[in-house]
Amino acid sequence: MKKNIIAMNASIMIGLGSILAAPSVYAESISNLEKQKESIQEKRSGVESNISDTEKKIDNLQDKQMTAEDQIAALEAKIAESAKKIDAKNAEITQTKKEIEALKEEIKVLKERIAKRNEVLKERALSFQETGGDVNYLEVLFGSSSFGDLVDRVGAVATIAEADRDILKQHELDKKDLEEKQKAVETKLASLEVAKAELLEIQKQQKQQKQEKDALVKKLKQQTKKHEDEKMGLEEEKANLAAQEKAIKSAISLEHQRLAELEAARKKAAAEAKKRAEQEAAQAAAQAASQASQASETKKQSTSSGYSAKSNSSSSSSSSSQSSQSSSNVSQAPAVSSGTFTRPSAGYVSSTMGERWNKQHAGIDIAASGTVPVVAAADGVVSRSYFSSTYGNVVFVTHSIGGQQWTTVYAHLSSRQVGEGAVVAKGQQVGIMGNTGHSFGQHLHFELHKGPWNYSKSNAVNPLNYIPN
């Protein structure tokens, strides 16, 4: 009998020991969650720093772009000014060419005059040759009939000689004038052509500079667009980290709540165990008075315990049946598996993880027709539930499993049935399969990340290695 009492007390202590051990498990879970929260906070700080750096790069690129655009505007003004100068030179060249044409007419007239003078001079030269030059003049003078006639003849001879000298002088002047006009016009035309060539070369250089600046602006715009896209991705990553931090805090709160409940249950169990021990001790003392009565009482207790177990078994079977019946009412809902992660939806895998369309496909696609429920792959907290331009309707769930943080992503949903901060159980419906966002045909895009989600998706792992096929 004493042995029986000792055995009962030992059983009670073992029960209390298991209850007392449980809080340490929860405390360890809370410690792990706190570490995950600190890790997320560090990553958020890093992402914020990257956003700041990216913004500086964008500002720098935009400053360079503005400078280049100002330089292009200045070059365009210079090109326009050069074009005006070239037009002016063209007008001058046209005018000079007209002057050359007019000069050609003058030259023609001068040439005719010179030709006529040459004829006169030829005739005079021929006359000098035939008469012997100065003798001819003496004959004229000595042949005078009177003094008056002599005076007249002397005057005539002087006039003829002066005329000859004038013809020769004018002849030389006209030739010199012709040569000077030709030289002046040709020099002017050559100068204008050189000036025009210089202006065309300057304009060519200016246009080349403008092309280089245009190419620079185009390159700067492309770089700015790249950094803006990167900034958007980083901001989305920041938002997801903030949401995950919130989810972790919610999980920590739940763990504290469970720990408080467990502590209360432990105290209650300890009090009940103490009371039960006292009752059993009193009962044992009473049993010592009568062995037969104790045996009879033991038999009754055994019968009662068997009936209770049977009743509990029946109740459990009924509950299981009701659960199964309730589960069968969910259209095309996948069966909840016993592994760490369950399949998120019914359907076939239409696309696996890997390279696709020259980009990394960071998850798997599960396709099916009709109204297809999408469920949580594991217990967790909804960190984000929103509409994305690429993911469409998307739900992010943060999980803490064995001290490891996981993140699951359910994208392209036609509708979402959980909001941010909601606590979901494994197999609980989070949405309906759809075709929203950047999607081609109804399917679920499912991602599994060992750690937090980030823009580069560096934590993504192949879901097919973790969920049942």
Side-chain angles (χ1 to χ4, degrees), residues 199-240:
L199 287 169
L200 287 171
E201 180 61 26
I202 290 170
Q203 189 182 58
K204 180 182 177 182
Q205 293 175 1
Q206 290 169 343
K207 287 182 177 179
Q208 179 64 29
Q209 289 173 357
K210 183 179 180 296
Q211 287 178 351
E212 291 172 359
K213 294 298 179 183
D214 285 338
L216 176 60
V217 168
K218 183 179 179 181
K219 183 180 178 181
L220 290 170
K221 285 181 177 178
Q222 289 173 344
Q223 290 176 344
T224 301
K225 177 67 167 55
K226 177 185 174 183
H227 287 304
E228 285 175 345
D229 290 343
E230 182 181 348
K231 180 186 173 185
M232 286 178 64
L234 288 169
E235 286 176 341
E236 186 170 5
E237 182 177 348
K238 177 184 174 183
N240 275 295

Side-chain angles (χ1 to χ4, degrees), residues 386-406:
Y386 70 113
F387 185 86
S388 162
S389 59
T390 52
Y391 280 137
N393 279 313
V394 61
V395 172
F396 286 69
V397 179
T398 297
H399 314 270
S400 180
I401 302 171
Q404 173 65 50
Q405 181 188 349
W406 297 80

